[in-house]
Amino acid sequence: MNSDQIKAAFRRAAKVSPLYRPFQLFKLATGGPHNRPLAHTFDFMESARGTLHWRELAGPDYREGVVTLLGHFTVLPDLILADDGQWLGVVEGAGADALGASYKIIVRRWEMGVDDHTPVIRNAAP
């Protein structure tokens, strides 16, 4: 078995496994003056299946999570929507596994802020 066959086996298993949930990935939208990013506005990138695990941090404010997505990503998303409607802001990418079958992303819950701002989705999933 080569690594492409192993990656394909992971993706097939994720389609039927209850451990893997669907996620929608979004990128910060551009289009402002000089094609700058638009605040709190996102465009749909793609859908992927993966897992979400929360971990406690030493600080008093936040809990961080790790989303493990099956697939290879050349561009890191800025925002993730979980299947339960929870918005997750991307902190950083943690890299791919040795086979390149999955990619880990460090996330935090989307901070609504004082005015209860939810993300604005300019181009939603098809």
Side-chain angles (χ1 to χ4, degrees):
M1 261 181 129
N2 65 28
S3 63
D4 289 335
Q5 292 170 325
I6 294 170
K7 291 177 202 177
F10 273 111
R11 290 187 191 109
R12 282 193 308 274
K15 289 180 181 177
V16 295
S17 173
L19 298 175
Y20 290 94
R21 304 164 34 186
F23 292 93
Q24 292 182 21
L25 311 178
F26 295 88
K27 191 77 182 147
L28 191 60
T30 58
H34 307 289
N35 207 30
R36 291 189 178 136
L38 302 172
H40 303 288
T41 305
F42 297 88
D43 289 330
F44 176 76
M45 285 175 52
E46 63 183 292
S47 294
R49 295 190 67 82
T51 60
L52 169 63
H53 299 284
W54 292 105
R55 59 184 184 181
E56 296 291 334
L57 289 180
D61 303 318
Y62 294 106
R63 284 180 47 182
E64 277 189 351
V66 178
V67 174
T68 303
L69 297 173
L70 291 178
H72 175 70
F73 300 96
T74 55
V75 177
L76 194 65
D78 295 308
L79 185 70
I80 298 174
L81 176 61
D83 63 338
D84 60 0
Q86 187 172 196
W87 291 101
L88 306 169
V90 172
V91 176
E92 65 181 333
D97 65 3
L99 296 173
S102 66
Y103 195 86
K104 292 186 185 295
I105 300 172
I106 309 299
V107 296
R108 287 190 181 144
R109 285 195 176 94
W110 178 264
E111 292 296 322
M112 296 297 183
V114 185
D115 299 327
D116 240 3
H117 291 294
T118 57
V120 176
I121 304 303
R122 183 173 70 177
N123 295 314

